Amino acid sequence: MRKPTLKDVAEAAGVHSATVSRALDPGKRHEVHPDTARRVLKAAESLGYRPNPIARSLKTARSNTVGLLVPDLCNPLFPPIVRGADEVLFDRGYSALIASTDNDAAREQRLVDSLVGRQVDGLIVATAQREHPLLSRLHDEQVKMVLINRRVENLDVPAIIPDDAAGIGLAVAHLAGLGHVRIAHLAGPQDTSTGVARARAFRHAVRDAGLDDDPALVVECEYFQEASGAKALRELLDQRVPFTAVVAGNDLLAMGCYDVFAERDVDCPGEISVVGFNDIPFLDKLRPPMTTVRIPHRDLGAEAARMLLGCIDEPARRAGSVLLPVELVVRGSTAPVPD
């Protein structure tokens, strides 16, 4: 049985083939009168017509696919970000090809080469490091990119990021208001913009609040992972550095503190208060529920997708970076300083 063609749909709907093409393209459907678009869609459905994406890409020089790179898909931070991006892309007729690099540079290189080889129309990248030769190369090759949650130094690429400085400021002010004077910071990896920005913001916030600005209270973690947070807290405790509260570079580092509290029979928040960053899912189920800085996960993904689509539609347009607001979510892991 012969497959229906675009021309068959046009004849059934009583319109030109070009009108059918626009009506069946979610990104161009707005160019067609709603009644006409509905008539075309109904005709296509009744005939069992399915657009040929390969033929369309040959005609438009677009694949209607976007590569989405994340460092670790098992990290609960990223699924809602990916969901936000995918919703916007889907509404515009695009598909997201999601790749997890596992924080491995060689794996990232292979994944990027594969995505570019599949002729994706652009990349949404959550893996950026402060110095990132691969992204620099892609920028030189004029691959359309939008960074998410992180930035690259000395590279003019648009980014959608949360207000890290404001978030850390909220965390420190909250603890200072509870009477904490010696607050430790488990800093994220310093080869990432988030690790650097949050560590820098912590030192500024501590000084502005008139708290103890002791370099011994800041420990750099190798990874944004639970085990790294646990290792850093053990180091502080073993060195007998006095402190009554912790601001962690992200929620996974803060969860590492919970592991150490259980190991060493430390009461949280009775002896040590903890604040995380990101508000990943299920923090309210912990015991105690974790106080954290909430970032707008879905909005980060959605705004990145909108910005990338704008760059695709208008290649000459210069897109700037966007800073999204954050908020402090107070739960049970923080309390007044112990007597």
Side-chain angles (χ1 to χ4, degrees), residues 226-237:
E226 189 173 337
S228 295
K231 179 182 178 182
L233 186 62
R234 290 190 196 101
E235 181 180 325
L236 284 171
L237 294 174

Side-chain angles (χ1 to χ4, degrees), residues 268-300:
C268 173
E271 296 176 72
I272 300 177
S273 291
V274 176
V275 181
F277 202 112
N278 287 334
D279 195 26
I280 61 176
F282 306 117
L283 293 186
D284 58 331
K285 307 301 181 187
L286 299 178
R287 291 294 176 265
M290 187 187 294
T291 296
T292 187
V293 176
R294 175 180 292 162
I295 68 171
H297 306 92
R298 285 205 182 192
D299 288 347
L300 283 169

